[in-house]
Every structure is written in C-alpha cells, then in structure tokens.
Coordinates of all heavy atoms in Angstrom, one line a residue:
M1 N 121.4 51.3 59.8 CA 120.2 52.0 60.2 C 120.1 53.3 59.4 O 121.1 54.1 59.4 CB 120.3 52.3 61.7 CG 119.1 52.7 62.4 SD 119.3 53.0 64.1 CE 118.5 51.5 64.7
N2 N 119.0 53.6 58.9 CA 118.9 54.8 58.1 C 118.5 56.0 58.9 O 118.2 55.9 60.1 CB 117.9 54.6 56.9 CG 116.5 54.4 57.4 OD1 116.2 54.6 58.6 ND2 115.6 53.9 56.5
F3 N 118.6 57.1 58.3 CA 118.4 58.4 59.0 C 117.0 58.5 59.6 O 116.9 59.1 60.7 CB 118.7 59.6 58.0 CG 118.6 60.9 58.7 CD1 119.5 61.3 59.6 CD2 117.5 61.7 58.4 CE1 119.4 62.6 60.2 CE2 117.4 63.0 59.0 CZ 118.4 63.4 59.9
A4 N 116.0 58.0 58.9 CA 114.6 58.2 59.4 C 114.5 57.4 60.7 O 113.8 57.9 61.6 CB 113.7 57.7 58.4
K5 N 115.0 56.3 60.9 CA 114.9 55.5 62.1 C 115.6 56.2 63.2 O 115.1 56.3 64.4 CB 115.5 54.1 61.9 CG 114.6 53.2 61.0 CD 115.2 51.8 60.9 CE 114.3 51.0 60.0 NZ 114.8 49.6 59.9
I6 N 116.8 56.8 63.0 CA 117.5 57.5 64.0 C 116.8 58.7 64.4 O 116.6 59.0 65.6 CB 118.9 57.9 63.5 CG1 119.8 56.6 63.2 CG2 119.7 58.8 64.5 CD1 121.1 56.9 62.5
F7 N 116.2 59.5 63.4 CA 115.5 60.7 63.7 C 114.2 60.3 64.6 O 113.9 61.0 65.5 CB 115.0 61.4 62.4 CG 114.3 62.6 62.7 CD1 114.9 63.8 63.1 CD2 112.9 62.7 62.4 CE1 114.2 64.9 63.3 CE2 112.2 63.8 62.6 CZ 112.8 65.0 63.1
F8 N 113.5 59.2 64.2 CA 112.3 58.8 64.9 C 112.7 58.4 66.4 O 112.0 58.8 67.3 CB 111.7 57.6 64.3 CG 110.5 57.1 65.0 CD1 109.3 57.8 65.0 CD2 110.5 56.0 65.7 CE1 108.2 57.4 65.6 CE2 109.4 55.5 66.4 CZ 108.2 56.2 66.4
F9 N 113.8 57.8 66.6 CA 114.2 57.4 67.9 C 114.6 58.6 68.8 O 114.1 58.7 69.9 CB 115.5 56.5 67.8 CG 116.0 56.1 69.2 CD1 115.4 55.2 70.0 CD2 117.2 56.7 69.6 CE1 115.9 54.9 71.2 CE2 117.7 56.4 70.9 CZ 117.1 55.5 71.7
L10 N 115.3 59.6 68.2 CA 115.6 60.8 68.9 C 114.3 61.6 69.3 O 114.2 62.1 70.3 CB 116.6 61.6 68.1 CG 118.0 61.1 68.0 CD1 118.8 61.9 67.1 CD2 118.6 60.9 69.4
F11 N 113.4 61.6 68.3 CA 112.1 62.3 68.6 C 111.4 61.6 69.7 O 110.8 62.3 70.6 CB 111.3 62.3 67.3 CG 110.0 63.0 67.5 CD1 109.9 64.4 67.6 CD2 108.8 62.3 67.6 CE1 108.7 65.0 67.8 CE2 107.6 62.9 67.7 CZ 107.5 64.3 67.8
A12 N 111.3 60.3 69.7 CA 110.6 59.5 70.8 C 111.3 59.8 72.1 O 110.6 60.0 73.1 CB 110.6 58.0 70.4
V13 N 112.6 59.8 72.2 CA 113.3 60.1 73.4 C 113.0 61.5 73.9 O 112.7 61.8 75.1 CB 114.8 59.9 73.3 CG1 115.6 60.4 74.5 CG2 115.1 58.4 73.1
F14 N 113.0 62.5 73.0 CA 112.7 63.9 73.3 C 111.3 64.0 73.8 O 111.0 64.7 74.8 CB 112.9 64.8 72.1 CG 112.4 66.2 72.3 CD1 113.2 67.1 73.0 CD2 111.2 66.6 71.8 CE1 112.8 68.4 73.2 CE2 110.8 67.9 72.0 CZ 111.6 68.8 72.7
L15 N 110.3 63.3 73.2 CA 108.9 63.4 73.6 C 108.8 62.7 75.0 O 108.0 63.3 75.8 CB 108.1 62.6 72.6 CG 106.6 62.7 72.7 CD1 106.1 64.2 72.6 CD2 105.9 61.8 71.7
A16 N 109.4 61.6 75.2 CA 109.3 61.0 76.5 C 109.9 61.9 77.6 O 109.3 61.9 78.7 CB 110.1 59.6 76.5
T17 N 111.0 62.5 77.3 CA 111.6 63.4 78.4 C 110.8 64.7 78.6 O 110.8 65.2 79.7 CB 113.0 63.7 78.1 OG1 113.1 64.3 76.8 CG2 113.9 62.5 78.1
S18 N 110.1 65.1 77.5 CA 109.4 66.4 77.7 C 108.1 66.2 78.4 O 107.5 67.2 78.8 CB 109.1 67.0 76.3 OG 108.3 66.2 75.5
T19 N 107.6 65.0 78.5 CA 106.3 64.7 79.2 C 106.5 64.5 80.7 O 105.5 64.4 81.4 CB 105.6 63.5 78.6 OG1 106.5 62.4 78.7 CG2 105.2 63.7 77.1
V20 N 107.7 64.5 81.1 CA 108.0 64.4 82.6 C 107.5 65.7 83.2 O 108.1 66.8 83.0 CB 109.5 64.1 82.8 CG1 109.7 64.1 84.3 CG2 109.9 62.9 82.2
S21 N 106.5 65.6 84.1 CA 106.0 66.8 84.7 C 106.5 67.0 86.1 O 106.3 68.1 86.7 CB 104.5 66.8 84.7 OG 104.0 65.7 85.5
A22 N 107.1 66.0 86.7 CA 107.6 66.1 88.1 C 108.9 66.8 88.3 O 109.3 67.2 89.4 CB 107.6 64.7 88.7
A23 N 109.7 66.9 87.2 CA 111.0 67.5 87.3 C 111.0 69.0 87.0 O 110.7 69.4 85.9 CB 112.0 66.7 86.4
P24 N 111.3 69.8 88.0 CA 111.2 71.3 87.7 C 112.4 71.8 86.9 O 112.4 72.9 86.4 CB 111.3 71.9 89.1 CG 111.9 70.9 89.9 CD 111.5 69.5 89.4
K25 N 113.5 71.0 86.7 CA 114.6 71.4 86.0 C 114.4 71.3 84.4 O 115.3 71.6 83.7 CB 115.9 70.6 86.4 CG 115.7 69.1 86.1 CD 116.9 68.3 86.6 CE 116.7 66.8 86.3 NZ 117.8 66.1 86.8
W26 N 113.3 70.9 84.0 CA 113.0 70.7 82.6 C 112.3 72.0 82.0 O 111.5 71.9 81.1 CB 112.1 69.5 82.3 CG 112.8 68.2 82.7 CD1 112.6 67.5 83.9 CD2 113.7 67.5 82.0 NE1 113.4 66.4 83.9 CE2 114.1 66.4 82.7 CE3 114.3 67.7 80.7 CZ2 115.0 65.4 82.3 CZ3 115.3 66.7 80.3 CH2 115.6 65.6 81.1
K27 N 112.7 73.1 82.4 CA 112.0 74.4 82.0 C 112.3 74.6 80.5 O 111.6 75.3 79.8 CB 112.5 75.5 82.8 CG 111.9 75.5 84.2 CD 112.3 76.7 85.0 CE 111.7 76.6 86.4 NZ 112.0 77.8 87.2
I28 N 113.5 74.1 80.0 CA 113.8 74.3 78.6 C 112.8 73.7 77.7 O 112.5 74.3 76.6 CB 115.2 73.8 78.3 CG1 115.7 74.1 76.9 CG2 115.2 72.3 78.5 CD1 116.0 75.6 76.7
F29 N 112.1 72.6 78.1 CA 111.1 72.0 77.3 C 109.9 72.9 77.2 O 109.2 72.9 76.2 CB 110.8 70.6 77.7 CG 111.9 69.6 77.6 CD1 112.5 69.1 78.7 CD2 112.4 69.4 76.3 CE1 113.6 68.2 78.5 CE2 113.5 68.5 76.1 CZ 114.0 67.9 77.2
K30 N 109.6 73.6 78.3 CA 108.4 74.5 78.3 C 108.7 75.6 77.4 O 107.7 76.1 76.7 CB 108.1 75.0 79.7 CG 107.6 73.9 80.6 CD 107.2 74.5 82.0 CE 106.6 73.4 82.9 NZ 106.2 73.9 84.2
K31 N 109.9 76.1 77.3 CA 110.2 77.2 76.4 C 110.1 76.8 75.0 O 109.6 77.5 74.1 CB 111.6 77.7 76.7 CG 111.7 78.5 78.0 CD 113.1 79.0 78.2 CE 113.2 79.7 79.6 NZ 114.5 80.3 79.9
I32 N 110.6 75.5 74.7 CA 110.5 75.0 73.3 C 109.0 74.8 73.0 O 108.6 75.1 71.8 CB 111.3 73.7 73.2 CG1 112.7 73.9 73.4 CG2 111.0 72.9 71.9 CD1 113.6 72.7 73.5
E33 N 108.2 74.3 73.9 CA 106.8 74.1 73.6 C 106.1 75.4 73.4 O 105.3 75.5 72.5 CB 106.1 73.4 74.8 CG 104.7 73.1 74.6 CD 104.0 72.5 75.9 OE1 104.7 72.3 76.9 OE2 102.8 72.3 75.8
K34 N 106.4 76.5 74.1 CA 105.8 77.8 73.9 C 106.2 78.3 72.5 O 105.4 78.9 71.8 CB 106.3 78.7 75.0 CG 105.6 80.1 74.9 CD 106.0 81.0 76.1 CE 105.3 82.3 76.0 NZ 105.7 83.2 77.0
A35 N 107.5 78.2 72.1 CA 107.9 78.6 70.8 C 107.1 77.9 69.7 O 106.7 78.5 68.7 CB 109.4 78.4 70.7
G36 N 107.0 76.6 69.9 CA 106.2 75.8 68.9 C 104.8 76.3 68.8 O 104.2 76.3 67.7
R37 N 104.1 76.6 70.0 CA 102.8 77.1 70.0 C 102.7 78.4 69.2 O 101.8 78.7 68.5 CB 102.2 77.2 71.4 CG 101.7 75.9 71.9 CD 101.0 76.2 73.3 NE 102.1 76.2 74.3 CZ 102.1 77.0 75.3 NH1 101.2 77.8 75.6 NH2 103.1 76.9 76.2
N38 N 103.7 79.3 69.5 CA 103.7 80.6 68.8 C 103.9 80.4 67.3 O 103.2 81.2 66.5 CB 104.8 81.5 69.4 CG 104.5 82.0 70.8 OD1 103.4 82.0 71.2 ND2 105.6 82.3 71.5
I39 N 104.7 79.5 66.9 CA 104.9 79.3 65.4 C 103.6 78.7 64.8 O 103.2 79.2 63.8 CB 106.1 78.3 65.2 CG1 107.4 79.0 65.6 CG2 106.1 77.9 63.8 CD1 108.6 78.1 65.6
R40 N 103.0 77.8 65.5 CA 101.7 77.2 65.0 C 100.6 78.3 64.9 O 99.9 78.4 63.9 CB 101.2 76.1 66.0 CG 100.0 75.4 65.5 CD 99.2 74.7 66.6 NE 98.8 75.7 67.6 CZ 98.6 75.4 68.9 NH1 98.9 74.2 69.3 NH2 98.2 76.3 69.7
D41 N 100.5 79.1 65.9 CA 99.5 80.2 65.9 C 99.8 81.2 64.8 O 98.9 81.7 64.2 CB 99.4 80.9 67.3 CG 98.9 79.9 68.4 OD1 98.3 78.9 68.0 OD2 99.0 80.3 69.5
G42 N 101.0 81.5 64.6 CA 101.4 82.4 63.5 C 101.1 81.9 62.2 O 100.6 82.6 61.3
I43 N 101.3 80.6 62.0 CA 100.9 80.0 60.7 C 99.4 80.0 60.5 O 98.9 80.3 59.4 CB 101.5 78.5 60.6 CG1 103.0 78.6 60.5 CG2 100.9 77.8 59.4 CD1 103.7 77.2 60.7
I44 N 98.7 79.7 61.5 CA 97.2 79.7 61.4 C 96.7 81.1 61.1 O 95.8 81.2 60.3 CB 96.6 79.1 62.7 CG1 96.9 77.6 62.9 CG2 95.1 79.4 62.8 CD1 96.5 77.1 64.2
K45 N 97.3 82.1 61.7 CA 96.9 83.5 61.5 C 97.3 84.0 60.1 O 96.6 84.8 59.5 CB 97.4 84.4 62.5 CG 96.8 84.2 63.9 CD 97.3 85.2 64.9 CE 96.7 85.0 66.3 NZ 97.3 85.8 67.3
A46 N 98.4 83.5 59.5 CA 98.9 83.9 58.2 C 98.2 83.2 57.1 O 98.3 83.6 55.9 CB 100.4 83.7 58.2
A47 N 97.5 82.1 57.3 CA 96.9 81.3 56.2 C 96.0 82.2 55.3 O 96.1 82.1 54.1 CB 96.2 80.1 56.8
P48 N 95.1 83.0 55.9 CA 94.2 83.8 55.0 C 95.0 84.7 54.1 O 94.7 84.9 52.9 CB 93.3 84.5 55.9 CG 93.3 83.7 57.2 CD 94.6 83.1 57.2
A49 N 96.0 85.3 54.7 CA 96.8 86.3 53.9 C 97.6 85.6 52.8 O 97.7 86.1 51.6 CB 97.8 87.0 54.8
V50 N 98.1 84.4 53.0 CA 98.8 83.6 52.0 C 97.8 83.2 50.9 O 98.1 83.3 49.7 CB 99.4 82.4 52.6 CG1 100.0 81.5 51.6 CG2 100.5 82.8 53.6
Q51 N 96.6 82.9 51.2 CA 95.6 82.6 50.2 C 95.2 83.8 49.3 O 95.1 83.6 48.1 CB 94.3 82.0 50.9 CG 94.4 80.7 51.5 CD 93.2 80.2 52.3 OE1 92.3 81.0 52.5 NE2 93.2 79.0 52.6
V52 N 95.1 84.9 49.9 CA 94.8 86.1 49.2 C 96.0 86.4 48.2 O 95.8 86.8 47.0 CB 94.6 87.3 50.1 CG1 94.5 88.6 49.3 CG2 93.3 87.1 50.9
I53 N 97.2 86.3 48.7 CA 98.4 86.5 47.8 C 98.4 85.5 46.7 O 98.7 85.9 45.5 CB 99.7 86.5 48.6 CG1 99.7 87.7 49.6 CG2 100.9 86.5 47.7 CD1 100.8 87.6 50.6
G54 N 98.0 84.3 47.0 CA 98.0 83.3 45.9 C 96.9 83.6 44.9 O 97.1 83.4 43.7
Q55 N 95.8 84.0 45.3 CA 94.7 84.4 44.4 C 95.1 85.6 43.6 O 94.8 85.7 42.4 CB 93.4 84.7 45.2 CG 92.8 83.5 45.8 CD 91.6 83.8 46.6 OE1 91.3 85.0 46.9 NE2 90.9 82.8 47.1
A56 N 95.8 86.6 44.2 CA 96.2 87.8 43.4 C 97.2 87.4 42.4 O 97.3 87.9 41.3 CB 96.8 88.8 44.4
A57 N 98.1 86.5 42.7 CA 99.1 86.0 41.7 C 98.5 85.3 40.6 O 98.9 85.5 39.4 CB 100.1 85.1 42.4
T58 N 97.5 84.5 40.8 CA 96.8 83.8 39.7 C 96.0 84.8 38.8 O 95.9 84.7 37.6 CB 95.9 82.7 40.2 OG1 94.9 83.3 41.1 CG2 96.6 81.6 40.9
I59 N 95.4 85.8 39.5 CA 94.7 86.9 38.7 C 95.7 87.7 37.8 O 95.4 88.0 36.7 CB 93.9 87.8 39.6 CG1 92.8 87.0 40.3 CG2 93.4 89.0 38.9 CD1 92.0 87.8 41.4
Y60 N 96.9 88.0 38.4 CA 97.9 88.7 37.7 C 98.4 88.0 36.5 O 98.6 88.5 35.4 CB 99.0 89.1 38.6 CG 100.1 89.9 38.0 CD1 100.0 91.2 37.6 CD2 101.4 89.3 37.7 CE1 101.0 91.9 37.0 CE2 102.4 89.9 37.1 CZ 102.2 91.3 36.8 OH 103.2 91.9 36.2
K61 N 98.6 86.6 36.7 CA 99.1 85.8 35.6 C 98.0 85.6 34.5 O 98.3 85.5 33.3 CB 99.6 84.5 36.1 CG 100.9 84.5 36.9 CD 101.3 83.2 37.3 CE 102.5 83.2 38.2 NZ 102.9 81.9 38.7
G62 N 96.8 85.4 35.0 CA 95.7 85.0 34.1 C 95.1 86.2 33.3 O 94.8 86.3 32.3

C-alpha cells in the first residue's frame, strides 16, 4: 500500500470523526477548524500583496 492511500484513509477517518456534532468532547476539532479558517483567510488577504511584490520583482528585473 503506498503512502497516498494511507494518507487518504487517515484523512477520511479524520473527516468522519470531525463531522460528529453530538459529541461535546471533540472540541479539539473545532480548534483545528478555526486555525484552518484563520490560515485560509490570511492567504486570501495576502494575495494582493504577493501579486504586487511579484510585479515589482518583474519590473526590477526587466
């Protein structure tokens, strides 16, 4: 079994356990989800700045 199949299986198990909404002891998954949202939002907010830096680099080289 290759690494991709093992990784996919572990991801599927994690996803299945994180969707359980009746168990109050799964607060760790809410913290992980919040961290993921914060990272996603940060990437979305940083995209215009990264584009400007890329344009500046091409102007500097050109």
Side-chain angles (χ1 to χ4, degrees):
M1 191 178 257
N2 63 17
F3 181 73
K5 289 182 182 179
I6 294 171
F7 182 73
F8 178 75
F9 175 75
L10 291 176
F11 179 75
V13 170
F14 173 77
L15 187 64
T17 56
S18 67
T19 57
V20 176
S21 61
K25 62 184 178 181
W26 297 98
K27 290 184 181 182
I28 186 73
F29 293 117
K30 289 184 179 183
K31 291 181 180 180
I32 293 171
E33 181 183 1
K34 184 176 180 182
R37 277 187 277 142
N38 288 339
I39 292 169
R40 182 201 64 209
D41 293 343
I43 291 171
I44 291 170
K45 288 180 182 178
V50 172
Q51 289 175 349
V52 169
I53 292 171
Q55 289 173 352
T58 57
I59 291 172
Y60 178 73
K61 288 181 183 178

